Amino acid sequence: MQLLLLANCTSPGHGYLEHALPEVLAFLHGVTEVTFVPFAGGDLDAYTASVRATLEPHGIAVRGLHEAADPVAAVASAQALFVGGGNTFRLLAALQRLGLIPVIRARVQNGLPYLGSSAGATITAPSIRTTNDMPIVQPESFDALGLVPFQINPHYVDTDTSGVNTGDSRESRLTEFLDENDVPVLGLREGTHLSVTSTLACALAVVGGGSANLLPAGPGILFERGRAPRNVAGDVSSLLVRRPRYDRPLMDAVS
């Protein structure tokens, strides 16, 4: 299995994917065509065109999955898959409606390179319960691809300690998730990524990327039930052997 999961696909002052382009091109080395999944966005043609404008100058053709007469067959024959960001509920609902979840899962587990940004990263978890998005549509369920056994929260924003923003923090919302579910959550700060390589012999997960202003905080932050959140960087492969346990309220666990 080969995953490159980006916290975001746009960054202030940069073009589409520009901040992560070296990592993306290295990940897609040898790939001549990418099948792009635009369903998290609204204007599917315009979204696909922006991806083409970024990748085709580097010799990588882009095929929009919405353009395929048979989306399932298109995924089955893809060289690589890029699932773009946008609204996670809309993305998951479309994949479920088109019957794409099983074929994507099977192909990626058998080695199809999977590039995902934002919502496209979120759905690699077993569930989308830790998305940041408004539920603008109702999917069949929150069950996602389950390519990794932990939750992902892209665009992670640290708690404002200045006292200016007194609303709910990302940390408080993820802590609420852990009250009800015994599943680690990996928060990815802007400009960062998670790469996962898994074979029969070994599995490796690495958090990296990000600009210097993230330091010393690090590119990622890990939330686990019963532990204080902690910043992480580099090897987080131990998360790949965790067993997620959903709908396990904390009060039940301590009673």
Side-chain angles (χ1 to χ4, degrees):
M1 187 166 62
Q2 305 173 68
L3 311 177
L4 179 60
L5 309 178
L6 309 177
N8 52 297
C9 56
T10 60
S11 184
H14 296 85
Y16 184 80
L17 283 182
E18 184 180 358
H19 69 286
L21 196 56
E23 290 86 357
V24 168
L25 294 179
F27 180 72
L28 296 175
H29 180 71
V31 171
T32 58
E33 182 184 80
V34 164
T35 298
F36 177 59
V37 182
F39 300 132
D43 187 333
L44 306 185
D45 289 333
Y47 198 178
T48 302
S50 68
V51 177
R52 284 195 175 107
T54 298
L55 296 181
E56 289 193 346
H58 299 278
I60 302 173
V62 175
R63 178 186 188 186
L65 188 56
H66 69 295
E67 301 165 343
D70 185 341
V72 171
V75 171
S77 63
Q79 284 189 47
L81 206 62
F82 176 18
V83 183
N87 186 281
T88 311
F89 292 94
R90 179 159 56 185
L91 171 61
L92 183 60
L95 296 180
Q96 291 171 341
R97 183 175 66 253
L98 295 169
L100 289 167
I101 294 291
V103 67
I104 291 175
R105 181 186 296 121
R107 287 233 51 212
V108 175
Q109 288 176 337
N110 282 284
L112 178 72
Y114 179 105
L115 172 63
S117 65
S118 187
T122 301
I123 65 166
T124 63
S127 168
I128 65 166
R129 296 189 197 192
T130 51
T131 180
N132 308 310
D133 299 328
M134 181 179 289
I136 61 173
V137 298
Q138 182 169 309
E140 296 171 7
S141 75
F142 292 158
D143 294 344
L145 291 171
L147 297 172
V148 296
F150 53 89
Q151 290 296 123
I152 294 176
N153 181 255
H155 306 285
Y156 181 82
V157 177
D158 289 284
T159 302
D160 182 2
T161 57
S162 68
V164 175
N165 181 6
T166 58
D168 287 344
S169 67
R170 190 71 59 81
E171 180 177 340
S172 66
R173 292 182 178 182
L174 295 180
T175 299
E176 286 178 343
F177 170 82
L178 290 173
D179 286 342
E180 302 294 332
N181 305 276
D182 189 3
V183 188
V185 184
L186 179 63
L188 295 175
R189 296 182 169 96
E190 292 291 274
T192 68
H193 61 266
L194 170 69
S195 63
V196 178
T197 304
S198 177
T199 66
L200 291 176
C202 66
L204 179 66
V206 177
V207 177
S211 57
N213 62 7
L214 289 174
L215 302 175
I221 182 168
L222 183 62
F223 292 82
E224 297 175 282
R225 177 182 277 190
R227 299 186 65 176
R230 65 184 190 277
N231 294 310
V232 292
D235 192 345
V236 291
S237 302
S238 61
L239 292 176
L240 297 174
V241 297
R242 299 288 293 271
R243 183 169 68 90
R245 301 198 302 169
Y246 292 90
D247 301 312
R248 299 293 296 265
L250 183 59
M251 292 306 296
D252 288 356
V254 298
S255 62

